[in-house]
Amino acid sequence: MYSLQYQVTTSTCDSEGRLKLFSALQMMQDCSEMWIDSEPGVRTYFAEQNMAQLLASRQVEVVRVPRFKEKLTVTTSVYGMKPMFGFRNTFIYDAEGQPCYRTWSMGAFVDKSNGRLKRVDEATIASMTLEPQLEMTYADRRIILPKEAGLVQAPIRVMRADIDYNRHVNNANYIRMAMELLPEDFEVRGLRVEYRVAAKLGDVLTPTVYHLAADTIIVALSIGSEVSMIVEFKG
């Protein structure tokens, strides 16, 4: 298990002094990325093989939204490993050790030179520390788009600030873009997100919004005819 300490600061708050979901996702991602430092064998193997771990899907349960100046602990642990995919829990806890966010995610292992899936050898998998799978609701990672047409929104151009060191749109920035399309009074209590095709600098993302129910909205961001990301918000 790997953990990072945070405090809810001005730049991470919304207008009501509550932690932005976007900021919480950034904390989760940072902790997940830094986790590799706790597994030097995996870190060395990935460096030698020119590999990276990219987020393929994530599910988030919002238990309680922290407020300004609260101290938080983010923990991440891997509970399952396959040659091309890994499975982890990343939780955010308050100062009393109570969970504010529960998440699980699936990561894909890719060759950095071509972006294709690449297998991790059995010896490296066997060397890893696997932790118990934490308690939360585990839904399907795949999100099926409704057959009925959604509402197409104004296109979004990928800007330099959206790109991370993997040279594509950072996974939290997709959620930030999608949340701008939600009704102002929609309170996100959970989400599922599926990443399909990485968007890069200069790409134009076309959003399509599907209102399934008062408490369920799906947003798909597409590059031309290809879906880049799908997120299902639960209110």
Side-chain angles (χ1 to χ4, degrees):
M1 180 176 290
Y2 187 86
S3 66
L4 291 174
Q5 305 298 316
Y6 286 96
Q7 188 168 15
V8 182
T9 57
T10 306
S11 62
T12 62
C13 282
D14 63 15
S15 60
E16 303 302 316
R18 307 191 313 162
L19 180 65
K20 297 174 186 175
L21 181 55
F22 168 67
S23 298
L25 290 168
Q26 288 182 307
M27 294 176 183
M28 298 172 198
Q29 175 184 299
D30 289 346
C31 190
S32 296
E33 287 290 318
M34 297 295 288
W35 159 90
I36 202 166
D37 288 341
S38 68
E39 293 284 344
V42 179
R43 182 182 58 201
T44 300
Y45 180 84
F46 271 53
E48 291 174 346
Q49 297 295 317
N50 195 33
M51 292 173 66
Q53 51 177 347
L54 300 182
L55 189 65
S57 67
R58 186 190 295 280
Q59 180 187 346
V60 179
E61 291 181 355
V62 181
V63 181
R64 180 182 72 81
V65 179
R67 301 193 68 84
F68 180 53
K69 289 192 176 181
E70 280 198 56
K71 294 183 178 180
L72 305 173
T73 301
V74 186
T75 69
T76 193
S77 55
V78 174
Y79 64 81
M81 185 76 169
K82 295 181 179 180
M84 290 189 289
F85 301 99
F87 303 85
R88 72 169 68 241
N89 288 120
T90 305
F91 280 30
I92 298 181
Y93 297 94
D94 62 20
E96 284 68 48
Q98 297 301 310
C100 296
Y101 302 87
R102 302 186 185 104
T103 86
W104 78 273
S105 60
M106 186 183 86
F109 309 130
V110 300
D111 189 321
K112 292 170 68 174
S113 64
N114 57 28
R116 296 177 181 174
L117 288 173
K118 187 171 182 178
R119 298 175 70 89
V120 175
D121 66 20
E122 293 297 332
T124 302
I125 293 174
S127 74
M128 284 186 52
T129 303
L130 296 183
E131 306 281 353
Q133 187 173 355
L134 299 181
E135 185 176 343
M136 63 173 288
T137 300
Y138 289 82
D140 196 327
R141 72 174 188 85
R142 299 289 294 184
I143 303 172
I144 307 301
L145 285 176
K147 292 182 179 180
E148 63 271 17
L151 301 174
V152 178
Q153 305 293 315
I156 303 168
R157 182 173 294 277
V158 175
M159 310 297 285
R160 283 178 293 179
D162 298 320
I163 303 299
D164 64 18
Y165 70 90
N166 288 310
R167 299 190 176 180
H168 54 64
V169 174
N170 178 270
N171 68 75
N173 282 333
Y174 284 105
I175 307 302
R176 176 184 53 77
M177 295 174 189
M179 288 188 69
E180 290 295 326
L181 304 172
L182 297 175
E184 192 171 347
D185 61 350
F186 190 91
E187 180 80 12
V188 178
R189 303 306 305 171
L191 66 83
R192 290 187 300 147
V193 57
E194 181 184 347
Y195 299 97
R196 294 188 179 183
V197 177
K200 299 178 180 179
L201 181 63
D203 282 343
V204 175
L205 295 166
T206 300
T208 306
V209 181
Y210 303 84
H211 291 261
L212 303 190
D215 67 344
T216 306
I217 297 175
I218 290 178
V219 178
L221 299 178
S222 301
I223 307 169
S225 61
E226 215 166 16
V227 175
S228 176
M229 180 229 57
I230 305 172
V231 56
E232 176 194 76
F233 295 102
K234 286 286 188 180

